[in-house]
Amino acid sequence: MPRDNNISQINLIDFCYLLCGYNTVSGDTPDLNLLLVFEAMFRHGSVTRAAAQIGLTQSAMSSALGRLRKQFGDPLFVNTRSGMLPTPRALELAPPL
């Protein structure tokens, strides 16, 4: 049975607010650039390659990853011999992206 995309349609900005846990009533605004950081890290598993994809220095990418970690209260990606692997929380967040 085909999905009816009109039933639960949500615009991207509202989705980002929900994903990041921000309250639009109180005026909190998310840094949507962090979604790009998350996606690049998830795709590449490397701070250096993720930074190159989105045009940041490795230092800026590490800083952005730190903000993401603080925002979600989770390391999101852990360093291993195979690269930066996503934590269970990162895997939860990834499917909608």
Side-chain angles (χ1 to χ4, degrees):
M1 177 180 219
R3 281 181 57 189
D4 184 354
N5 290 332
N6 295 326
I7 291 175
S8 61
Q9 205 170 43
I10 184 168
N11 74 43
L12 181 59
I13 299 298
D14 288 340
F15 173 76
C16 293
Y17 277 98
L18 292 172
L19 177 68
C20 297
Y22 285 95
N23 182 345
T24 57
V25 174
S26 70
D28 289 341
T29 57
D31 180 354
L32 298 180
N33 292 314
L34 294 180
L35 292 174
L36 296 174
V37 167
F38 179 86
E39 188 277 331
M41 281 297 303
F42 195 86
R43 178 183 306 249
H44 295 288
S46 160
V47 173
T48 302
R49 288 192 305 266
Q53 176 191 325
I54 58 177
L56 294 177
T57 64
Q58 184 176 353
S59 176
M61 186 68 167
S62 292
S63 177
L65 183 55
R67 291 193 309 275
L68 262 176
R69 289 172 164 159
K70 183 177 178 184
Q71 180 175 317
F72 286 101
D74 187 90
L76 298 175
F77 301 93
V78 291
N79 198 10
T80 69
R81 289 180 184 208
S82 304
M84 300 286 284
L85 296 180
T87 65
R89 178 67 174 136
L91 292 172
E92 286 176 18
L93 295 169
L97 297 176

Coordinates of all heavy atoms in Angstrom, one line a residue:
M1 N 0.8 -1.2 0.0 CA 0.0 0.0 0.0 C 0.9 1.2 0.0 O 1.8 1.4 0.8 CB -0.9 0.0 1.2 CG -1.8 1.2 1.4 SD -2.8 1.0 2.9 CE -4.3 1.6 2.4
P2 N 0.7 2.2 -0.9 CA 1.6 3.4 -1.0 C 1.3 4.3 0.2 O 0.2 4.4 0.7 CB 1.2 4.0 -2.3 CG -0.1 3.4 -2.7 CD -0.3 2.1 -2.0
R3 N 2.4 4.9 0.6 CA 2.3 5.9 1.7 C 1.6 7.2 1.2 O 1.9 7.6 0.1 CB 3.7 6.2 2.3 CG 4.2 5.2 3.2 CD 5.6 5.5 3.7 NE 5.5 6.8 4.4 CZ 6.6 7.5 4.8 NH1 7.7 7.0 4.6 NH2 6.4 8.6 5.4
D4 N 0.8 7.7 2.0 CA 0.2 9.0 1.7 C 1.1 10.1 2.3 O 1.0 10.4 3.5 CB -1.2 9.1 2.2 CG -1.9 10.4 1.8 OD1 -1.3 11.3 1.2 OD2 -3.1 10.5 2.0
N5 N 1.9 10.7 1.5 CA 2.9 11.7 2.1 C 2.2 13.0 2.5 O 2.8 13.8 3.2 CB 3.9 12.0 1.0 CG 4.9 10.9 0.8 OD1 5.1 10.1 1.7 ND2 5.4 10.8 -0.4
N6 N 1.0 13.2 2.2 CA 0.3 14.4 2.6 C -0.3 14.3 4.0 O -0.5 15.4 4.6 CB -0.9 14.7 1.6 CG -0.4 15.0 0.2 OD1 0.6 15.6 0.1 ND2 -1.2 14.6 -0.8
I7 N -0.4 13.1 4.5 CA -1.0 13.0 5.9 C -0.1 13.6 6.9 O -0.5 14.3 7.8 CB -1.3 11.5 6.2 CG1 -2.4 11.0 5.3 CG2 -1.6 11.3 7.6 CD1 -2.8 9.6 5.4
S8 N 1.2 13.2 6.9 CA 2.1 13.6 8.0 C 3.2 14.5 7.4 O 4.3 14.4 7.9 CB 2.7 12.4 8.7 OG 3.4 11.6 7.8
Q9 N 2.9 15.4 6.5 CA 3.9 16.2 5.9 C 4.3 17.2 6.9 O 3.6 17.8 7.7 CB 3.2 17.0 4.7 CG 4.2 17.4 3.7 CD 3.5 17.9 2.4 OE1 2.6 18.6 2.5 NE2 4.0 17.5 1.3
I10 N 5.6 17.4 7.0 CA 6.2 18.4 7.9 C 7.4 19.1 7.2 O 8.1 18.4 6.4 CB 6.8 17.6 9.2 CG1 7.3 18.6 10.2 CG2 7.8 16.6 8.9 CD1 7.5 18.0 11.6
N11 N 7.5 20.4 7.4 CA 8.5 21.0 6.6 C 9.9 20.8 7.3 O 10.0 20.4 8.5 CB 8.2 22.5 6.4 CG 8.4 23.4 7.6 OD1 9.3 23.2 8.4 ND2 7.4 24.3 7.8
L12 N 10.9 21.0 6.5 CA 12.3 20.7 7.0 C 12.7 21.4 8.2 O 13.3 20.9 9.2 CB 13.3 20.9 5.9 CG 14.7 20.6 6.2 CD1 14.9 19.2 6.5 CD2 15.6 21.0 5.0
I13 N 12.3 22.7 8.3 CA 12.7 23.5 9.5 C 12.0 23.0 10.7 O 12.6 22.8 11.8 CB 12.3 25.0 9.3 CG1 13.1 25.6 8.1 CG2 12.6 25.8 10.5 CD1 14.6 25.6 8.2
D14 N 10.7 22.7 10.7 CA 10.0 22.1 11.8 C 10.6 20.8 12.2 O 10.8 20.5 13.4 CB 8.5 21.9 11.5 CG 7.8 23.2 11.5 OD1 8.3 24.2 12.0 OD2 6.7 23.2 10.9
F15 N 11.0 19.9 11.2 CA 11.7 18.7 11.5 C 13.0 18.9 12.3 O 13.3 18.2 13.2 CB 11.9 17.9 10.2 CG 12.7 16.7 10.5 CD1 12.2 15.5 11.0 CD2 14.1 16.6 10.1 CE1 12.9 14.4 11.2 CE2 14.8 15.5 10.3 CZ 14.2 14.4 10.9
C16 N 13.8 19.9 11.8 CA 15.0 20.2 12.5 C 14.8 20.7 13.9 O 15.6 20.3 14.8 CB 15.8 21.2 11.7 SG 16.3 20.6 10.1
Y17 N 13.8 21.5 14.1 CA 13.5 21.9 15.5 C 13.2 20.7 16.4 O 13.7 20.6 17.5 CB 12.3 22.9 15.5 CG 12.7 24.3 15.2 CD1 12.6 24.8 13.9 CD2 13.2 25.1 16.2 CE1 12.9 26.1 13.6 CE2 13.6 26.5 15.9 CZ 13.4 27.0 14.6 OH 13.7 28.2 14.3
L18 N 12.4 19.8 15.8 CA 12.0 18.6 16.6 C 13.2 17.7 16.9 O 13.4 17.3 18.0 CB 10.9 17.8 15.9 CG 9.5 18.5 15.8 CD1 8.6 17.7 14.9 CD2 8.9 18.7 17.2
L19 N 14.0 17.5 15.8 CA 15.1 16.7 16.0 C 16.1 17.2 17.0 O 16.7 16.5 17.8 CB 15.9 16.5 14.6 CG 17.1 15.7 14.6 CD1 16.9 14.3 14.8 CD2 17.8 15.9 13.3
C20 N 16.3 18.5 17.0 CA 17.3 19.1 17.9 C 16.7 19.4 19.3 O 17.4 19.9 20.1 CB 17.9 20.4 17.3 SG 18.8 20.0 15.8
G21 N 15.4 19.2 19.4 CA 14.8 19.4 20.7 C 14.6 20.9 21.1 O 14.6 21.2 22.3
Y22 N 14.5 21.8 20.1 CA 14.3 23.2 20.4 C 12.9 23.5 20.6 O 12.0 23.0 19.9 CB 15.0 24.1 19.4 CG 16.5 24.1 19.5 CD1 17.3 23.2 18.7 CD2 17.1 24.9 20.3 CE1 18.6 23.2 18.8 CE2 18.5 24.9 20.4 CZ 19.2 24.1 19.7 OH 20.6 24.1 19.8
N23 N 12.6 24.5 21.4 CA 11.3 25.0 21.6 C 11.0 26.3 20.8 O 11.6 27.3 21.1 CB 11.1 25.2 23.1 CG 9.7 25.6 23.5 OD1 8.9 26.0 22.6 ND2 9.4 25.6 24.8
T24 N 10.2 26.2 19.8 CA 9.9 27.4 19.0 C 9.1 28.4 19.8 O 9.2 29.6 19.5 CB 9.1 27.0 17.7 OG1 7.9 26.4 18.1 CG2 9.9 26.1 16.8
V25 N 8.4 28.0 20.8 CA 7.6 29.0 21.6 C 8.5 29.9 22.4 O 8.3 31.1 22.5 CB 6.6 28.3 22.5 CG1 5.9 29.2 23.4 CG2 5.6 27.5 21.6
S26 N 9.6 29.3 23.0 CA 10.5 30.1 23.8 C 11.5 30.9 23.0 O 12.2 31.7 23.5 CB 11.2 29.2 24.8 OG 12.2 28.4 24.1
G27 N 11.5 30.7 21.7 CA 12.4 31.5 20.9 C 13.8 30.8 20.6 O 14.7 31.4 20.0
D28 N 14.0 29.6 21.2 CA 15.3 28.9 20.9 C 15.4 28.7 19.4 O 14.5 28.3 18.8 CB 15.4 27.6 21.7 CG 15.5 27.8 23.2 OD1 15.9 28.9 23.6 OD2 15.2 26.8 23.9
T29 N 16.6 28.8 18.9 CA 16.8 28.6 17.5 C 18.0 27.6 17.3 O 19.0 27.8 17.9 CB 17.1 29.8 16.7 OG1 18.3 30.5 17.2 CG2 15.9 30.8 16.7
P30 N 17.8 26.6 16.5 CA 18.9 25.6 16.4 C 19.9 26.1 15.4 O 19.6 26.9 14.5 CB 18.2 24.4 15.8 CG 17.0 24.9 15.0 CD 16.6 26.2 15.8
D31 N 21.1 25.6 15.5 CA 22.2 25.9 14.5 C 22.0 24.8 13.5 O 22.5 23.6 13.6 CB 23.5 25.8 15.1 CG 24.7 26.1 14.2 OD1 24.4 26.2 12.9 OD2 25.8 26.2 14.6
L32 N 21.3 25.0 12.4 CA 21.1 24.0 11.4 C 22.3 23.6 10.7 O 22.3 22.5 10.1 CB 20.0 24.6 10.3 CG 18.7 24.9 10.9 CD1 17.8 25.4 9.8 CD2 18.1 23.7 11.6
N33 N 23.4 24.3 10.8 CA 24.7 23.9 10.2 C 25.2 22.6 10.9 O 25.9 21.8 10.3 CB 25.8 24.9 10.3 CG 25.5 26.1 9.5 OD1 25.1 26.0 8.3 ND2 25.6 27.3 10.0
L34 N 24.7 22.4 12.1 CA 25.1 21.2 12.8 C 24.5 19.9 12.2 O 25.1 18.8 12.4 CB 24.8 21.3 14.3 CG 25.6 22.3 15.1 CD1 25.1 22.3 16.6 CD2 27.1 22.1 15.0
L35 N 23.4 20.1 11.5 CA 22.8 18.9 10.8 C 23.8 18.5 9.7 O 23.9 17.3 9.4 CB 21.4 19.2 10.3 CG 20.4 19.4 11.4 CD1 19.1 19.9 10.8 CD2 20.2 18.1 12.2
L36 N 24.4 19.5 9.0 CA 25.3 19.1 8.0 C 26.6 18.4 8.6 O 27.1 17.5 8.0 CB 25.8 20.4 7.2 CG 24.7 21.2 6.5 CD1 25.3 22.5 5.9 CD2 24.2 20.3 5.3
V37 N 27.0 18.9 9.7 CA 28.1 18.3 10.4 C 27.8 16.9 10.8 O 28.6 16.0 10.5 CB 28.5 19.1 11.7 CG1 29.4 18.4 12.6 CG2 29.0 20.5 11.3
F38 N 26.6 16.6 11.3 CA 26.2 15.3 11.7 C 26.2 14.4 10.5 O 26.7 13.3 10.5 CB 24.8 15.3 12.4 CG 24.4 13.9 12.7 CD1 24.7 13.4 14.0 CD2 23.6 13.2 11.9 CE1 24.3 12.1 14.3 CE2 23.2 11.9 12.2 CZ 23.5 11.4 13.4
E39 N 25.6 14.8 9.4 CA 25.4 14.0 8.2 C 26.8 13.7 7.6 O 27.1 12.6 7.2 CB 24.6 14.8 7.2 CG 24.2 13.9 5.9 CD 25.2 13.9 4.9 OE1 26.0 14.9 4.7 OE2 25.3 12.9 4.2
A40 N 27.7 14.7 7.6 CA 29.0 14.4 7.0 C 29.8 13.4 7.9 O 30.5 12.6 7.3 CB 29.8 15.8 6.9
M41 N 29.7 13.6 9.2 CA 30.4 12.6 10.1 C 29.8 11.2 9.9 O 30.6 10.3 9.9 CB 30.2 13.1 11.5 CG 31.2 14.2 11.9 SD 32.9 13.7 11.8 CE 33.0 12.3 12.9
F42 N 28.5 11.1 9.8 CA 27.9 9.8 9.7 C 28.3 9.2 8.3 O 28.6 8.0 8.3 CB 26.4 10.0 9.7 CG 25.6 8.7 9.9 CD1 25.5 8.2 11.2 CD2 25.2 7.9 8.9 CE1 24.8 7.0 11.4 CE2 24.5 6.7 9.1 CZ 24.4 6.2 10.4
R43 N 28.4 10.0 7.3 CA 28.7 9.5 6.0 C 30.2 9.0 5.9 O 30.5 8.0 5.3 CB 28.4 10.5 4.9 CG 28.8 10.1 3.5 CD 28.6 11.3 2.5 NE 27.2 11.8 2.7 CZ 26.3 11.6 1.7 NH1 26.6 11.0 0.6 NH2 25.1 12.1 1.9
H44 N 31.1 9.8 6.4 CA 32.5 9.6 6.2 C 33.2 8.9 7.4 O 34.2 8.3 7.1 CB 33.2 10.9 5.9 CG 32.8 11.6 4.7 ND1 33.1 11.1 3.4 CD2 32.0 12.6 4.4 CE1 32.6 11.8 2.5 NE2 31.9 12.8 3.1
G45 N 32.7 9.0 8.6 CA 33.4 8.4 9.7 C 34.8 8.9 10.0 O 35.6 8.3 10.6
S46 N 35.0 10.2 9.5 CA 36.3 10.8 9.7 C 36.1 12.3 9.8 O 35.4 12.9 9.0 CB 37.2 10.5 8.5 OG 38.3 11.4 8.4
V47 N 36.7 12.9 10.8 CA 36.6 14.3 11.0 C 37.2 15.1 9.9 O 36.6 16.0 9.3 CB 37.2 14.8 12.4 CG1 37.3 16.3 12.5 CG2 36.5 14.2 13.6
T48 N 38.4 14.6 9.4 CA 39.1 15.3 8.3 C 38.3 15.2 7.0 O 38.1 16.2 6.3 CB 40.4 14.6 8.1 OG1 41.2 14.7 9.3 CG2 41.2 15.3 7.0
R49 N 37.8 14.0 6.6 CA 37.0 13.9 5.4 C 35.6 14.6 5.5 O 35.2 15.2 4.5 CB 36.8 12.4 5.0 CG 38.1 11.8 4.5 CD 37.8 10.4 3.9 NE 37.1 9.5 4.8 CZ 37.7 8.6 5.6 NH1 39.0 8.5 5.6 NH2 36.9 7.8 6.3
A50 N 35.0 14.6 6.7 CA 33.7 15.3 6.8 C 33.9 16.8 6.7 O 33.1 17.5 6.1 CB 33.1 14.9 8.2
A51 N 35.0 17.3 7.3 CA 35.3 18.7 7.2 C 35.5 19.1 5.8 O 35.0 20.2 5.4 CB 36.6 19.0 8.1
A52 N 36.3 18.3 5.1 CA 36.5 18.7 3.7 C 35.2 18.7 2.9 O 35.1 19.6 2.0 CB 37.5 17.6 3.0
Q53 N 34.3 17.8 3.1 CA 33.0 17.7 2.4 C 32.3 19.0 2.6 O 31.7 19.5 1.6 CB 32.2 16.6 2.9 CG 30.8 16.6 2.2 CD 29.8 15.6 2.8 OE1 30.2 14.5 3.2 NE2 28.6 16.0 2.8
I54 N 32.3 19.6 3.8 CA 31.4 20.8 4.0 C 32.2 22.1 4.1 O 31.7 23.1 4.4 CB 30.5 20.6 5.3 CG1 31.3 20.3 6.5 CG2 29.5 19.5 5.0 CD1 30.5 20.2 7.8
G55 N 33.5 22.0 3.8 CA 34.3 23.2 3.6 C 34.7 23.8 5.0 O 34.8 25.0 5.1
L56 N 35.0 23.0 6.0 CA 35.5 23.4 7.2 C 36.9 23.0 7.4 O 37.3 22.0 6.8 CB 34.6 22.9 8.4 CG 33.2 23.4 8.5 CD1 32.5 22.7 9.6 CD2 33.1 24.9 8.7
T57 N 37.6 23.6 8.3 CA 38.9 23.1 8.8 C 38.6 21.9 9.7 O 37.5 21.8 10.3 CB 39.7 24.2 9.5 OG1 39.1 24.5 10.7 CG2 40.0 25.4 8.6
Q58 N 39.6 21.1 9.9 CA 39.5 20.0 10.9 C 39.2 20.5 12.3 O 38.3 20.0 13.0 CB 40.8 19.1 10.9 CG 40.6 17.9 11.8 CD 41.9 17.0 11.7 OE1 42.8 17.2 10.9 NE2 41.9 16.0 12.5
S59 N 39.8 21.6 12.6 CA 39.6 22.3 14.0 C 38.1 22.7 14.1 O 37.5 22.5 15.1 CB 40.5 23.4 14.1 OG 40.3 24.1 15.4
A60 N 37.6 23.4 13.1 CA 36.2 23.9 13.1 C 35.2 22.7 13.2 O 34.2 22.8 13.9 CB 35.9 24.7 11.9
M61 N 35.6 21.6 12.5 CA 34.7 20.4 12.5 C 34.7 19.8 13.9 O 33.7 19.4 14.4 CB 35.2 19.4 11.4 CG 34.3 18.2 11.3 SD 32.7 18.8 10.6 CE 32.1 17.2 10.1
S62 N 35.9 19.7 14.5 CA 36.0 19.2 15.8 C 35.2 20.0 16.8 O 34.5 19.5 17.7 CB 37.4 19.1 16.3 OG 38.1 18.1 15.5
S63 N 35.2 21.3 16.7 CA 34.5 22.2 17.5 C 33.0 22.0 17.3 O 32.2 22.0 18.3 CB 34.9 23.7 17.2 OG 34.1 24.6 18.0
A64 N 32.5 21.9 16.1 CA 31.1 21.7 15.8 C 30.7 20.4 16.3 O 29.6 20.2 16.9 CB 30.9 21.8 14.3
L65 N 31.5 19.3 16.2 CA 31.2 18.0 16.8 C 31.0 18.1 18.3 O 30.1 17.5 18.9 CB 32.2 17.0 16.4 CG 32.0 15.6 16.8 CD1 30.7 15.1 16.3 CD2 33.1 14.7 16.3
G66 N 31.8 18.9 18.9 CA 31.7 19.2 20.4 C 30.4 19.8 20.7 O 29.7 19.4 21.7
R67 N 29.9 20.7 19.9 CA 28.6 21.4 20.2 C 27.5 20.4 20.0 O 26.5 20.4 20.7 CB 28.4 22.6 19.2 CG 29.3 23.8 19.6 CD 29.0 25.1 18.9 NE 28.8 25.0 17.5 CZ 29.8 25.0 16.6 NH1 31.0 25.2 17.0 NH2 29.5 25.0 15.3
L68 N 27.6 19.5 19.0 CA 26.6 18.5 18.7 C 26.6 17.5 19.9 O 25.5 17.2 20.4 CB 27.0 17.7 17.5 CG 26.3 18.0 16.2 CD1 26.9 17.2 15.1 CD2 24.8 17.9 16.3
R69 N 27.7 17.1 20.4 CA 27.8 16.2 21.5 C 27.1 16.8 22.8 O 26.4 16.1 23.5 CB 29.2 15.8 21.8 CG 29.8 14.9 20.8 CD 31.3 14.7 21.0 NE 31.8 13.6 20.2 CZ 33.0 13.4 19.8 NH1 33.9 14.2 20.2 NH2 33.3 12.3 19.1
K70 N 27.4 18.1 23.0 CA 26.8 18.7 24.1 C 25.3 18.9 24.0 O 24.5 18.6 24.9 CB 27.4 20.1 24.3 CG 26.9 20.9 25.5 CD 27.6 22.2 25.6 CE 27.0 23.0 26.8 NZ 27.6 24.3 26.9
Q71 N 24.8 19.2 22.8 CA 23.4 19.4 22.5 C 22.6 18.1 22.7 O 21.6 18.1 23.3 CB 23.3 19.8 21.1 CG 21.8 20.0 20.6 CD 21.8 20.6 19.2 OE1 22.6 21.5 18.9 NE2 20.9 20.1 18.4
F72 N 23.2 16.9 22.3 CA 22.5 15.7 22.4 C 22.9 14.9 23.7 O 22.3 13.9 24.0 CB 22.7 14.8 21.2 CG 21.9 15.3 20.0 CD1 22.6 16.1 19.0 CD2 20.6 15.1 19.9 CE1 21.8 16.6 17.9 CE2 19.9 15.6 18.8 CZ 20.5 16.3 17.8
G73 N 23.9 15.4 24.5 CA 24.3 14.7 25.7 C 24.8 13.3 25.4 O 24.6 12.3 26.2
D74 N 25.5 13.1 24.3 CA 26.0 11.8 23.8 C 27.2 12.1 23.0 O 27.3 13.1 22.2 CB 24.9 11.1 23.0 CG 25.3 9.7 22.6 OD1 25.0 8.8 23.4 OD2 25.9 9.5 21.6
P75 N 28.2 11.2 23.0 CA 29.4 11.4 22.1 C 29.1 11.3 20.6 O 29.8 11.8 19.8 CB 30.3 10.3 22.5 CG 29.7 9.4 23.5 CD 28.4 10.0 23.9
L76 N 28.0 10.7 20.3 CA 27.5 10.5 18.9 C 28.5 9.7 18.0 O 28.0 8.9 17.2 CB 27.2 11.9 18.2 CG 26.1 12.6 18.9 CD1 25.9 14.0 18.2 CD2 24.8 11.9 18.8
F77 N 29.7 10.0 18.1 CA 30.7 9.2 17.3 C 31.9 8.9 18.2 O 32.4 9.8 18.9 CB 31.2 10.0 16.0 CG 30.1 10.4 15.1 CD1 29.4 11.6 15.2 CD2 29.6 9.5 14.2 CE1 28.3 11.9 14.4 CE2 28.5 9.8 13.3 CZ 27.9 11.0 13.5
V78 N 32.4 7.7 18.2 CA 33.5 7.3 19.0 C 34.7 6.9 18.1 O 34.5 6.3 17.1 CB 33.2 6.2 20.0 CG1 32.2 6.7 21.0 CG2 32.6 5.0 19.3
N79 N 35.9 7.3 18.5 CA 37.1 7.0 17.7 C 37.5 5.5 17.9 O 37.7 5.1 19.0 CB 38.2 7.9 18.2 CG 39.3 8.0 17.1 OD1 39.2 7.5 16.0 ND2 40.4 8.6 17.5
T80 N 37.7 4.8 16.8 CA 38.1 3.5 16.8 C 39.2 3.3 15.7 O 39.5 4.3 15.0 CB 37.0 2.5 16.5 OG1 36.6 2.6 15.1 CG2 35.8 2.7 17.4
R81 N 39.8 2.2 15.7 CA 40.8 1.9 14.6 C 40.2 2.0 13.2 O 40.9 2.2 12.2 CB 41.5 0.6 14.8 CG 42.4 0.5 16.0 CD 43.0 -0.8 16.2 NE 43.8 -0.8 17.4 CZ 44.8 -1.6 17.6 NH1 45.2 -2.4 16.7 NH2 45.5 -1.5 18.8
S82 N 38.9 1.7 13.2 CA 38.2 1.8 11.9 C 37.7 3.1 11.5 O 37.0 3.3 10.5 CB 37.0 0.8 11.9 OG 37.5 -0.5 12.3
G83 N 37.9 4.1 12.4 CA 37.4 5.5 12.1 C 36.4 5.8 13.2 O 36.3 5.2 14.2
M84 N 35.7 6.9 13.0 CA 34.7 7.4 14.0 C 33.4 6.6 13.7 O 32.8 6.8 12.7 CB 34.5 8.9 13.8 CG 35.7 9.7 14.0 SD 36.2 9.8 15.8 CE 35.0 11.0 16.3
L85 N 33.0 5.8 14.7 CA 31.8 5.0 14.5 C 30.7 5.7 15.3 O 30.8 6.2 16.4 CB 32.0 3.6 15.0 CG 33.1 2.8 14.3 CD1 33.2 1.4 14.9 CD2 32.7 2.7 12.8
P86 N 29.4 5.6 14.7 CA 28.3 6.2 15.4 C 27.9 5.4 16.6 O 28.0 4.2 16.6 CB 27.2 6.2 14.3 CG 27.6 5.1 13.4 CD 29.1 5.0 13.4
T87 N 27.4 6.1 17.6 CA 26.9 5.5 18.8 C 25.5 5.1 18.6 O 24.9 5.5 17.5 CB 26.9 6.5 20.0 OG1 26.0 7.6 19.7 CG2 28.3 7.0 20.3
P88 N 24.8 4.3 19.5 CA 23.4 4.0 19.3 C 22.5 5.3 19.1 O 21.6 5.3 18.3 CB 23.1 3.2 20.5 CG 24.4 2.5 20.9 CD 25.4 3.6 20.6
R89 N 22.8 6.3 19.8 CA 22.1 7.6 19.7 C 22.2 8.2 18.3 O 21.2 8.6 17.7 CB 22.5 8.6 20.8 CG 21.8 9.9 20.7 CD 20.3 9.8 21.1 NE 19.7 11.1 21.2 CZ 18.5 11.4 20.7 NH1 17.8 10.4 20.1 NH2 18.0 12.6 20.8
A90 N 23.4 8.2 17.8 CA 23.6 8.7 16.4 C 22.8 7.8 15.4 O 22.3 8.3 14.5 CB 25.1 8.7 16.1
L91 N 22.8 6.5 15.6 CA 22.1 5.6 14.7 C 20.6 5.9 14.8 O 19.9 5.8 13.8 CB 22.3 4.2 15.1 CG 23.8 3.7 14.8 CD1 24.0 2.3 15.3 CD2 24.1 3.7 13.3
E92 N 20.1 6.3 16.0 CA 18.7 6.7 16.1 C 18.3 7.9 15.3 O 17.3 8.1 14.7 CB 18.3 7.0 17.6 CG 18.2 5.8 18.5 CD 18.0 6.2 19.9 OE1 17.6 7.4 20.2 OE2 18.2 5.4 20.8
L93 N 19.3 8.9 15.4 CA 19.1 10.2 14.7 C 19.2 10.1 13.2 O 18.6 10.8 12.4 CB 20.1 11.2 15.2 CG 19.9 11.6 16.7 CD1 21.1 12.4 17.1 CD2 18.6 12.3 16.9
A94 N 20.0 9.2 12.7 CA 20.4 9.1 11.3 C 19.3 8.7 10.3 O 19.2 9.4 9.3 CB 21.6 8.2 11.1
P95 N 18.4 7.8 10.6 CA 17.4 7.4 9.6 C 16.6 8.5 9.0 O 16.4 8.6 7.8 CB 16.6 6.3 10.3 CG 17.5 5.8 11.3 CD 18.3 6.9 11.8
P96 N 16.1 9.5 9.8 CA 15.3 10.6 9.2 C 16.2 11.5 8.3 O 15.6 12.1 7.4 CB 14.8 11.4 10.4 CG 15.1 10.6 11.6 CD 16.1 9.6 11.3
L97 N 17.5 11.5 8.5 CA 18.3 12.4 7.7 C 18.6 11.7 6.4 O 18.9 12.3 5.4 CB 19.6 12.7 8.4 CG 19.4 13.5 9.7 CD1 20.8 13.7 10.4 CD2 18.8 14.8 9.4

